[in-house]
Amino acid sequence: MKAVQIVELTGPDTALRVGDLPEPDPSHMLSPGSGVVVDVHAAGVSFPEVLQTRGEYQLKPPLPFVPGSEVAGTVRSAPEGAAVKEGDRVAAFCGLGGFAEIAVAPEFLTFGLPDALDFAQGAGLILNYHTAVFALQLRGRLDAGETVLVHGAAGGVGTAALQVAKGLGARTIAVVSSAGKEEVARAAGADEVVRSDGPWKDEAKELSGGGVDVVLDPVGGDRFLDSLRALREGGRVVVVGFTGGSIPEVKVNRLLLNNTEVVGAGWGGYVMSKPQANREIGAVVERLVGDGYVHPLVGARFPPEQAADALKLIEGRAATGKVVLEFRR
Ligand SMILES: NC(=O)c1ccc[n+]([C@@H]2O[C@H](COP(=O)([O-])OP(=O)(O)OC[C@H]3O[C@@H](n4cnc5c(N)ncnc54)[C@H](OP(=O)(O)O)[C@@H]3O)[C@@H](O)[C@H]2O)c1
């Protein structure tokens, strides 16, 4: 099968090789001896793969390895008792091995792909949307009628968070860095859009009538203090990632003064050992697809041979929505 491997840790330009590899066994490291084998149509590309080309991600498999955490395609084989069967269209989270014509995922991280979504959209369904549901609903305790501010709102997690928040009945304020990204955030359902290079904190406070209930933050960096200041009493900043580069520090007296919270949301660490939690989050995502709220925005599609370009698009902050590699059309 055709696959893209990381062969050295020298960054997106030089780290990747496309080649022929043996087909994988129907076994996944999270479910040894068992796994759903998927004929991959599209593989999702995300920030962690950029980091993996430099050995900077927490998951550091020995070289060479096939990166790619999530795919969409059709089931080639499934273990007995699985919720999916041969021929089904699925979205699957494989962790690694997704940048290939055939990938393997645990049964509890494989979900039927709703007819409303194509394979490229399916390749953007799990990491971003399951994270958005987990971060907003489970960790941020977002309620209908509350206001949520989303940083990096034109990105993968950001667009997913906007759609999920609308589906949960919240009002949304998107923070983005350019006019092009403003359009993307609006297409994802942002009620209001503010610019990260402007007085976004004051604008957000005004737009929300005194402060937002939840900030979803995949960016981190310098803006973190203003995120805390943008909260109303009882508000929560949900920490999702650090695309801005630096990891912020909090002086906890700020939390005390305004009765606010900083909450961590690490989707992978939470759900990998909890099949039932995955099914519950999957059911919320499926309902939101059915209700028309969730429809992954696919920003750019590349053939496997151009995987480096896909990674560089993300690294260069130019990606909008989901970036995918197409293995079958
Ligand atoms: N906690 C979890 O469970 C979890 C799950 C999935 C992903 N993540 C993390 O969430 C983060 C976002 O992932 P994503 O897929 O949404 O990424 P993405 O599509 O590349 O979007 C990230 C956004 O961050 C903003 N940004 C600000 N400074 C940046 C910089 N220096 N370089 C690049 N982007 C910058 C950009 O928006 P503007 O240009 O508009 O500022 C960009 O659109 C990543 O760190 C990822 O690892 C965490």
Side-chain angles (χ1 to χ4, degrees):
M1 66 169 187
K2 185 189 285 184
V4 180
Q5 286 183 299
I6 292 180
V7 296
E8 53 186 356
L9 303 178
T10 49
D13 251 334
T14 49
L16 304 175
R17 294 276 179 288
V18 182
D20 257 329
L21 289 182
E23 294 179 9
D25 293 329
S27 175
H28 190 273
M29 58 187 166
L30 293 177
S31 55
S34 165
V36 179
V37 183
V38 179
D39 276 334
V40 175
H41 282 250
V45 186
S46 308
F47 212 77
E49 281 97 36
V50 176
L51 300 178
Q52 281 172 359
T53 63
R54 297 206 186 84
E56 290 172 358
Y57 193 59
Q58 59 253 38
L59 191 64
K60 295 183 173 64
L63 296 174
F65 68 95
V66 179
S69 63
E70 62 182 332
V71 299
T74 51
V75 174
R76 233 173 134 84
S77 70
E80 241 184 75
V84 296
K85 60 178 189 323
E86 192 185 329
D88 282 357
R89 300 167 79 246
V90 291
F93 191 85
C94 43
L96 290 172
F99 289 4
E101 282 177 324
I102 302 171
V104 184
E107 181 273 325
F108 62 84
L109 284 166
T110 305
F111 305 88
L113 182 61
D115 289 342
L117 304 183
D118 66 19
F119 287 119
Q121 290 177 304
L125 197 59
I126 300 183
L127 181 62
N128 293 338
Y129 286 88
H130 282 230
T131 294
V133 170
F134 172 69
L136 291 173
Q137 200 175 38
L138 276 77
R139 303 297 294 143
R141 310 189 307 277
L142 182 68
D143 257 337
E146 289 192 322
T147 300
V148 55
L149 178 141
V150 177
H151 286 295
V157 171
T159 50
L162 289 172
Q163 293 177 5
V164 166
K166 292 305 294 175
L168 297 176
R171 183 157 172 258
T172 53
I173 301 175
V175 185
V176 297
S177 64
S178 68
K181 289 188 175 184
E182 173 164 352
E183 269 177 45
V184 175
R186 288 203 189 279
D191 294 311
E192 310 285 352
V193 183
V194 295
R195 293 283 279 272
S196 54
D197 58 356
W200 61 267
K201 182 252 301 168
D202 297 328
E203 290 168 344
K205 286 187 89 153
E206 199 177 315
L207 289 165
S208 58
V212 302
D213 299 285
V214 173
V215 172
L216 183 113
D217 187 13
V219 176
D222 298 343
R223 62 178 82 176
F224 197 80
L225 183 55
D226 275 344
S227 289
L228 284 175
R229 290 176 172 145
L231 293 175
R232 72 167 72 238
E233 187 182 72
R236 293 81 74 195
V237 174
V238 185
V239 177
V240 176
F242 310 103
T243 51
S246 63
I247 297 179
E249 288 176 15
V250 188
K251 286 215 166 115
V252 294
N253 63 322
R254 287 194 175 279
L255 311 180
L256 177 153
L257 288 172
N258 297 323
N259 287 295
T260 52
E261 297 170 48
V262 177
V263 185
W267 171 76
Y270 185 86
V271 300
M272 288 306 153
S273 59
K274 300 182 184 68
Q276 192 49 30
N278 285 295
R279 292 187 190 107
E280 284 165 15
I281 294 171
V284 175
V285 172
E286 193 180 333
R287 175 171 62 77
L288 295 178
V289 172
D291 291 348
Y293 289 106
V294 162
H295 46 92
L297 304 176
V298 177
R301 303 163 188 250
F302 294 91
E305 290 73 14
Q306 288 175 26
D309 294 332
L311 294 183
K312 284 191 286 184
L313 196 71
I314 292 174
E315 184 181 40
R317 203 171 169 174
T320 53
K322 191 70 187 177
V323 178
V324 300
L325 300 181
E326 291 187 310
F327 282 86
R328 289 179 175 82
R329 280 173 177 274

